[in-house]
Amino acid sequence: MSTAAISGRKKSFLSGLPVISHVNKSVGLQRGMLITGLVLTGLFLLSTVLAPFIAPYGYSQLSDASGSFPTQEAPSNKHLLGTTVGGYDVLSRVLWGSQTAVTVIVVAVAMSIFLGVALGLLSGYFGGWLDRVLVVIADAIYAFPSLLLAIVMSIVISRGQSSFWGGILACAFSITVVFVPQYFRVIRAETIRLKAEPFVESAMVLGASSLRIITRHIFKNATRTLPLMFTLNASEAILTLAGLGFLGFGIEPSSAAEWGFDLNKAMADASSGIWWTGVFPGIAIVLTVLGLTLVGESINDLNDPRLRGRKRAGGKASRSKAAAGSDGKNTGATTAPEPEAGKA
Amino acid sequence: MTTLIEVPDVEPDAVAPKSKSAGGGLGRYIVIRFFLIIPTIFILVTLVFFLMRVIGDPITAAQGGRLPPDVLAQRIHDAGYDRPIILQYFEYLGQLVTGNFGTTITDRRPVVEMLSTFGAATLELSINALIVALAVGIPLGMIAAQRRDKATDAFLRCFAILCYATPVFFSGLLLKLTFSVWLGWLPVAGRVSTRTELAMGQLAAPTGIYWLDALRSGNFNALGDVVSHAVLPAVALGLLTAGVFLRLVRTNVIGTLGKDYVEAGRSRGVSEFRLVTKHAYKPALIPIITVMGLQIALLLGGAVLTETTFEWKGLGYQLVQYLNARDFVAVQGIVVLLAVIVASTNFVVDVVAALIDPRVRY
């Protein structure tokens, strides 16, 4: 990524931006992982934007000027990655699939953040019975296998709808239900901590309204970890979407390209040795999730000062790593600080 | 995110004031923890009940287009689905408490019987997968911790992330293509071949867990058949969890490797191998056990996908069938059972953690 090139300059505006500053902080293996992740994520986003231009055919196109597409045709000049059992072009569906994935992720994560943050702030600030009820509900949902919950939700929401937005929204809502408890827990814990801070107490003494305290004083401080959680959850959202599609509770192939659905259709092909219908959408899922996970984890590691301490204690730091460590940067990091971020 | 679970250290100030007899404290903790299972199950049951009823009554949902309207109305009335929903809800709760899960709408089987039949298959798959996950994840995690920041470690960490990033159905597809279609070593799908299934059916009091049944019958052909069917699903589902275990073991062993007593052991000449496998690994076990409990949810979610991939006729496979048939009585039954499994696993894990580490009891 071009961002690495400006690592020499200090305190310029660019190097203050989140991802760029992380690239600058990172060293060695850590930097390799971060940059690999950024490249993969970049490719994913690029194919989202460029799908209409670079995809050879439409995602639901079954024929062109020279007649209908053959079914289950091996990769050839006309169909670079072959065609599916339904006669769709595999390459086109893989490229268009990224659009579906991005749309669902953005809608799902935006809704979960909105709901999770709002409930977390209220619950943490006011406490009382509302807090207890919400915590018990969130814990119950959190403990349950998220995919199963998403399946049940998608059946309830979609009721067999198959339009593009109908399918997208059904998937997004289903994923939202799974994610809200995670955001809720993180924000609630932060709010409770912040509520005891002197600056909140002084605002109370000055007579600020609860609304003002929540929105001005607590909100900004409690939501610092959100961009990170967004990255971590985006990869989970893709897996959930693909799982829904694979089980047949996703979006119809005529209204959008969806990798999980294509893999579902490819299962039967596999038994007869037809590999191209399943392998390419599968690789698309793996690379996308891999990219997002690498970015999320690298940033997570670089943000966590606890790992820095542990790194020094390890005592085996090489010269460059030791230098980075003394700069207040962390290198060989491994873990996530929030157990809340940690569930499938 | 699956791969990122880390259990926070127990804060010293979270330790409850010690009661004089440690046993009493533990007993009290277990009882309180046990009663916390109930709200979890209750909430999930309630949630699923009302979600399912949003769509309509179960009979219309399952057989709406196929029956004439007057017959449909009659059947809805007979089943009591035309009464106020609150009434139905409390009746349903009452039935659950007495262990009556109802009868499935599509194939008219008692739900309890359906659950025990398919539950055995899912249990078998989960055990197999857990064995694979532990056998792969724990040793590799120790190696990664010992070779920290070396090439081996980097490779193993990438492997762990890749395990997480690959959906079960895609790894299943790749395994199928490689080992069933191209190499022809293992069967493509299913739990057993038809012949073995028939032989199993003649067994008195079958457990439903096929390799156990095959072992008991002493039929080694059958056992071989069962094992060859079990390998691919177990590996596909096991690898997903193995990545989590690998990271978990690595992180926690690295944490304990930095402790003074490990350094003391090293100065006494304890071998590096022994330091990792004995001195550092055992204290690292507590968080590992806790997170393993949480993995049951991941495992069950993955089981749905694995079962569909390999046509393994367990709860997950059946859940998808029933959902497609809109048989909500059966779906509710499965969801309740899964909720009970998840809640009780978490209970057992908490108790085990409390037994190992007294600081957990607060």
Side-chain angles (χ1 to χ4, degrees), chain A residues 148 232 311 333-335 341-342, chain B residues 1 5 149 157 181 250-251 338:
Chain A
L148 297 184
L232 294 176
K311 176 69 197 166
T334 45
T335 55
Chain B
M1 277 235 341
I5 293 168
D149 293 331
R157 286 173 67 191
V181 180
R250 176 185 179 275
T251 310
L338 293 178

Side-chain angles (χ1 to χ4, degrees), chain B residues 272-342:
Chain B
E272 282 296 319
F273 177 77
R274 206 181 150 76
L275 276 180
V276 171
T277 52
K278 287 271 177 333
H279 297 236
Y281 175 63
K282 282 200 175 163
L285 260 178
I286 298 163
I288 293 173
I289 288 174
T290 314
V291 178
M292 264 180 210
L294 290 177
Q295 292 311 308
I296 192 80
L298 176 70
L299 208 62
L300 287 176
V304 177
L305 296 170
T306 316
E307 286 175 8
T308 309
T309 309
F310 290 97
E311 288 163 43
W312 184 279
K313 298 213 167 51
L315 284 180
Y317 181 84
Q318 222 43 48
L319 177 70
V320 175
Q321 306 295 321
Y322 282 129
L323 270 169
N324 281 326
R326 301 287 189 272
D327 186 340
F328 294 139
V329 176
V331 171
Q332 271 178 17
I334 294 177
V335 172
V336 171
L337 178 68
L338 293 178
V340 172
I341 293 175
V342 169

Side-chain angles (χ1 to χ4, degrees), chain A residues 63-86:
Chain A
S63 60
D64 60 4
S66 60
S68 11
F69 296 160
T71 58
Q72 295 186 322
E73 197 195 48
S76 65
N77 277 337
K78 191 159 174 272
H79 300 285
L80 283 178
L81 302 182
T83 58
T84 70
V85 63

